Amino acid sequence: MLIPTTCEEAPMVSLDNEQTLTSALSMPQHGAHRLLALTILWHPDLARIGEQFIAGPGMPELALNRYAPAFCHPGKEPLPLGERCIAREPLLLQAGAVGGLTLRPPASRMLVTLDGVPLAAPLAIDAARLDGGLVLELGGAVLLCVHWAQGLPKLEQYGELIGVSSGMRKVRELIRQVAATELPVLLLGETGTGKELAARAIHATSLHRDGPLVAVNMAALNDTLAAADLFGAAKGAYTGAERLRDGFFAEAAGGTLFLDEIGNAPVAVQPMLLRVLDGGEYRPLGAARSMQSRARLLAATDQDLASTNFNQPLLRRLESFVIELPALRARREDIGLLTAHAMLAWNAAAGVQVSLPVALVRDICCHEWPGNVRQLRNVVGRALLALQSGVAPLLSSLVPVVACAEDAAAAPRRSDLAGIEPGAVLDAMDANAWQIRAAALALGVSRPSMYKLLAAHPLIREAAAIPFDELRLALAAEQGDVERCAGVLRTPCEALRRHLRSQGLMG
């Protein structure tokens, strides 16, 4: 029978028979076991959105109905779903082969949909599809995400860093680890993933929290005056400098300086930033002596700085501590919470009470988001504005491109890997300079799914397995261009760059 875990305690049963429970409701990954989780995406009681049930390992079946299992937020009392629209007869989630699931609908008239498609008969789900998270609709009122979780939920809060996903829990744990240190932090992630929110959370829990947080968009700095903007300038240091000018480092003294879009920092100031990180000193333009920086430095980028002309010694100093913010498409279990938060914030600002229809929320949760939290928030705002005007909008009218349930068979979902031909994988890698993230976006799959496609491909090679002489000759033939070299060797560019450095073939 099922062995449930609560949000406060989880019996970690060891898997003596690995075969059995990779055939049960947990799955090994990188030496640790991922546990099957159910997260409430939407519920008539909005306070219950984000509650989770985490299944313990070694269990062959989970029965889901009105009375069981019990869901909770960390530290709160576990409660069943409890809605009358949910049948007493259970929907069964049964362990399948190699980490998959079989869903068996209840013997009742309750509406059950999976990713927006009615579930009328038992359906086998492979592990790859489950990696992307499944959206279950029960009785037209409750939405659940079925997904893998790594570890148990924790009672924690970091401002607006909302999410119950394993990815967001990892982000918060890394913030907790680094906040009280003086290490510089590099925040990585696509645009709209919340890098500035993470910077604010680090500042708010750091030793510098009583000082100012000064945020600078490095892409907006003028190349000519960037040094003066950052480090200040003495009177007469340049034409128009009629008085002593403090820079952002001085403004952030005793606090935190957040350099957003660091990849766009003017080339001339990058060595100056390195000097600050190395020795804590900087010299205002035209000044006779250096000053000591008293600001904690955080930086953020959505670029792969290792593959650009960015100052590599500076990058290595910034990489003293790295936090990567997950993309929205990699955290489907958070979409309900984010949607509810955006809806409540919009209502509060507008002074109204408008609710999103469950069908629209279901489509929002099923959507393969090309953007991130900012795009989701904008879509929710447009939907509420339409509803306030008496119009019931479709998701297709709110976003440019939508993977609707009716079109699911026509367009490959990120979790539908079986339908992606090896030739399409090669074409995507070739068309995107052998960059994994860009190729994954082109194919419409998640980054973890892309790694699976690459590992299974007979023609794509691991950089570490390529002989040294072949690496050296290819790099010489392509005149040091790593992207072209990756195409010739048929290996991902990022991994190749790291391997070339480890072999002493690149600086």
Side-chain angles (χ1 to χ4, degrees):
M1 74 177 272
L2 181 78
I3 307 172
T5 74
T6 70
C7 296
E8 299 173 311
E9 182 180 358
M12 290 292 125
V13 181
S14 72
L15 300 180
D16 296 321
N17 185 342
E18 192 80 23
Q19 210 65 18
T20 305
L21 197 57
T22 315
S23 66
L25 301 185
S26 73
M27 187 176 183
Q29 184 190 50
H30 306 307
H33 279 86
R34 300 189 297 173
L35 303 171
L36 189 79
L38 302 179
T39 297
I40 299 178
L41 292 171
W42 207 252
H43 192 280
D45 179 359
L46 296 183
R48 301 206 58 190
I49 296 173
E51 289 184 358
Q52 293 186 310
F53 167 82
I54 311 291
M59 56 202 71
E61 183 175 276
L62 167 62
L64 175 63
N65 64 11
R66 186 187 305 175
Y67 305 113
F71 295 75
C72 69
H73 290 300
K76 302 292 185 180
E77 179 185 359
L79 293 171
L81 293 172
E83 288 296 306
R84 293 180 61 84
C85 63
I86 299 176
R88 294 182 176 86
E89 292 293 323
L91 181 151
L92 298 179
L93 289 76
Q94 298 174 324
V98 198
L101 282 177
T102 296
L103 303 183
R104 297 187 181 277
S108 73
R109 291 182 295 176
M110 178 181 69
L111 171 69
V112 180
T113 71
L114 180 69
D115 289 344
V117 179
L119 183 67
L123 179 67
I125 305 294
D126 62 24
R129 185 175 177 188
L130 187 55
D131 280 345
L134 308 174
V135 178
L136 271 177
E137 179 184 10
L138 304 177
V142 174
L143 300 175
L144 301 176
C145 185
V146 185
H147 59 98
W148 295 117
Q150 293 182 353
L152 297 175
K154 295 180 180 179
L155 188 61
E156 55 187 0
Q157 188 58 261
Y158 282 99
E160 294 187 77
L161 284 174
I162 296 167
V164 295
S165 63
S166 296
M168 288 308 294
R169 287 206 307 272
K170 180 179 178 181
V171 167
R172 291 192 290 262
E173 173 59 22
L174 291 173
I175 288 173
R176 186 192 66 77
Q177 290 176 20
V178 78
T181 75
E182 293 295 332
L183 289 172
V185 179
L186 181 61
L187 298 160
L188 301 177
E190 298 174 20
T191 182
T193 49
K195 297 186 291 295
E196 183 164 353
L197 295 180
R200 293 186 181 281
I202 293 171
H203 172 72
T205 52
S206 74
L207 301 175
H208 296 261
R209 58 184 172 273
D210 294 330
L213 171 64
V214 177
V216 180
N217 184 346
M218 299 298 285
L221 294 184
N222 180 289
D223 284 4
T224 305
L225 296 177
D229 289 334
L230 288 167
F231 306 112
K235 181 179 177 180
Y238 57 88
T239 302
E242 298 177 355
R243 57 184 176 82
L244 176 67
R245 176 184 177 187
D246 286 335
F248 291 124
F249 271 91
E251 184 182 341
T256 302
L257 181 59
F258 173 49
L259 303 181
D260 200 7
E261 305 292 352
I262 188 67
N264 297 106
V267 173
V269 303
Q270 291 179 25
M272 301 177 191
L273 291 172
L274 176 60
R275 182 182 179 191
V276 178
L277 286 172
D278 277 342
E281 289 186 345
Y282 66 93
R283 179 170 295 190
L285 290 185
R289 59 186 180 188
S290 296
M291 299 181 66
Q292 192 73 22
S293 170
R294 296 190 296 113
R296 167 81 175 278
L297 192 64
L298 310 177
T301 184
D302 60 359
Q303 302 178 39
D304 177 9
L305 298 182
S307 63
T308 68
N309 292 325
F310 191 82
N311 185 300
Q312 295 303 297
L314 173 58
L315 174 59
R316 286 192 283 274
R317 287 293 284 114
L318 290 172
E319 288 178 332
S320 296
F321 199 95
V322 176
I323 300 177
E324 186 162 2
L325 280 294
L328 184 58
R329 59 186 172 276
R331 43 186 293 221
R332 192 181 302 276
E333 58 269 39
D334 289 336
I335 294 178
L337 262 178
L338 293 165
T339 300
H341 185 266
M343 182 183 78
L344 294 173
W346 191 92
N347 280 335
V352 296
Q353 290 296 320
V354 183
S355 296
L356 294 170
V358 175
L360 178 59
V361 177
R362 178 199 64 210
D363 291 344
I364 287 172
C365 292
C366 291
H367 182 47
E368 298 300 323
W369 288 92
N372 285 297
V373 178
R374 189 180 299 123
Q375 185 192 24
L376 171 63
R377 187 169 59 242
N378 292 339
V379 164
V380 171
R382 288 197 290 273
L384 292 168
L385 191 61
L387 288 163
Q388 190 182 22
S389 303
V391 177
L394 298 174
L395 187 58
S396 56
S397 68
L398 302 171
V399 293
V401 180
V402 177
C404 299
E406 298 83 18
D407 302 329
R413 286 191 49 169
R414 65 178 179 150
S415 51
D416 185 16
L417 304 186
I420 300 177
E421 298 292 334
V425 176
L426 267 182
D427 290 344
M429 293 297 285
D430 276 330
N432 290 281
W434 286 78
Q435 303 282 345
I436 292 175
R437 185 173 75 179
L441 287 173
L443 288 174
V445 301
S446 68
R447 194 162 181 166
S449 294
M450 191 68 194
Y451 279 115
K452 291 181 181 179
L453 290 171
L454 296 175
H457 202 289
L459 299 179
I460 294 177
R461 309 161 75 185
E462 287 188 25
I466 300 174
F468 179 86
D469 286 343
E470 187 178 354
L471 289 171
R472 180 175 54 80
L473 291 172
L475 194 62
E478 299 304 327
Q479 299 180 327
D481 189 314
V482 180
E483 291 182 358
R484 291 207 306 263
C485 192
V488 169
L489 296 171
R490 288 187 170 177
T491 189
C493 186
E494 301 97 321
L496 176 61
R497 191 182 305 278
R498 288 192 297 269
H499 187 56
L500 289 171
R501 284 185 182 137
S502 72
Q503 297 299 305
L505 293 172
M506 279 187 67

